[in-house]
Amino acid sequence: MFNDVIKNIENIVSNKLININDLLYTIKETSYSISSKMYMTDKNNIVINGDKLKEICNGLGYCTDRLKATDAIYIFKNNKIYLIEFKCGSIKKEEIYQKMYDTYILLRDLEIITNLQFSLMNVHYILVYNKIKYTEKENIYHKKITENLRNKSNTTFKNTTFFNINIFENYLFKEAFACNEEDFNKFIIKEFDVDEI
């Protein structure tokens, strides 16, 4: 995350909440799964820890303890925002949907997302999952979809049909998709690295 972006966010949250340093983690740290005791990436790009942001907001009475948040929030120099949820193991559609809505609401209240139009032009939701943890049936389903997508383009790795995640495109976010951890580390992390040059 670029220094100017961090300064801008710091100005926003310091007026409402806390010091920005309490929220900044590496993407590796936010990808850690307690249940499987593993990281889904080994990269050290700096992100906002969504769970920590939610926890601090709740502790200050700024939101309810029922609120959920995505694991990581990355804001690019050009105002593009990635909301990233890491899932290693079972995934519940309802939980994913709630985290999408709740993170949008929280960032909107903090004025990081200024309005719905800004979100539709700049905010992307990414669900990163560990395909190894899926059942055989789910792995076959994902493999079939991935192969169909890749047949259309050599660089396509975004699965928009997973949990019907595409319903959030042009409704709440510019883009919403799922990808496995291998593709996340191959394609998405490169975008962070380019942004930080």
Side-chain angles (χ1 to χ4, degrees):
M1 197 174 301
F2 198 67
N3 286 338
D4 290 351
V5 173
I6 292 172
K7 279 280 186 206
N8 186 40
I9 297 167
E10 184 175 23
N11 290 336
I12 293 168
V13 297
S14 65
N15 291 335
K16 298 190 177 229
L17 296 172
I18 50 130
N19 187 319
I20 189 72
N21 292 325
D22 295 338
L23 301 175
L24 300 180
Y25 284 68
T26 66
I27 196 153
K28 176 181 178 179
E29 292 170 316
T30 62
S31 77
Y32 184 73
S33 168
I34 295 170
S35 60
S36 66
K37 296 181 175 44
M38 65 179 284
Y39 295 96
M40 295 184 74
T41 184
D42 62 356
K43 303 304 179 186
N44 290 313
N45 305 82
I46 300 299
V47 297
I48 295 172
N49 183 320
D51 292 326
K52 192 69 173 172
L53 178 63
K54 171 202 67 173
E55 178 186 305
I56 290 168
C57 288
N58 181 43
L60 294 172
Y62 192 70
C63 64
T64 71
D65 61 354
R66 293 177 57 195
L67 186 102
K68 295 190 178 287
T70 57
D71 295 315
I73 302 160
Y74 187 92
I75 302 176
F76 291 81
K77 288 182 278 190
N78 65 1
N79 290 326
K80 179 166 71 170
I81 298 174
Y82 278 175
L83 308 178
I84 307 163
E85 179 65 24
F86 294 100
K87 282 294 179 189
C88 188
S90 65
I91 302 175
K92 295 179 182 171
K93 179 179 178 179
E94 297 77 18
E95 181 183 352
I96 296 302
Y97 282 20
Q98 182 181 359
K99 285 186 174 195
M100 293 169 93
Y101 283 118
D102 288 358
T103 304
Y104 172 84
I105 291 166
L106 181 59
L107 295 181
R108 178 68 185 96
D109 283 350
L110 291 172
E111 298 175 11
I112 293 170
I113 294 176
T114 54
N115 55 44
L116 179 59
Q117 186 62 29
F118 175 89
S119 186
L120 293 173
M121 293 177 64
N122 297 290
V123 181
H124 306 254
Y125 177 85
I126 306 170
L127 170 63
V128 183
Y129 61 91
N130 182 337
K131 63 183 179 181
I132 297 169
K133 296 289 183 182
Y134 275 88
T135 66
E136 185 177 340
K137 181 180 177 184
E138 289 168 320
N139 271 330
I140 290 168
Y141 171 74
H142 176 72
K143 183 177 179 184
K144 182 178 178 183
I145 288 176
T146 302
E147 285 173 357
N148 286 340
L149 289 171
R150 287 203 172 134
N151 286 338
K152 294 176 183 174
S153 168
N154 290 333
T155 60
T156 300
F157 62 91
K158 300 173 182 179
N159 183 340
T160 57
T161 60
F162 197 72
F163 282 133
N164 294 321
I165 205 166
N166 60 335
I167 65 170
F168 290 93
E169 289 187 7
N170 301 314
Y171 163 62
L172 200 56
F173 306 121
K174 180 174 184 174
E175 185 177 40
F177 64 90
C179 67
N180 64 48
E181 63 183 310
E182 180 183 315
D183 286 339
F184 176 79
N185 285 298
K186 183 176 180 182
F187 297 105
I188 301 298
I189 290 294
K190 282 183 183 176
E191 293 184 52
F192 299 163
D193 293 339
V194 168
D195 186 64
E196 293 170 8
I197 292 175

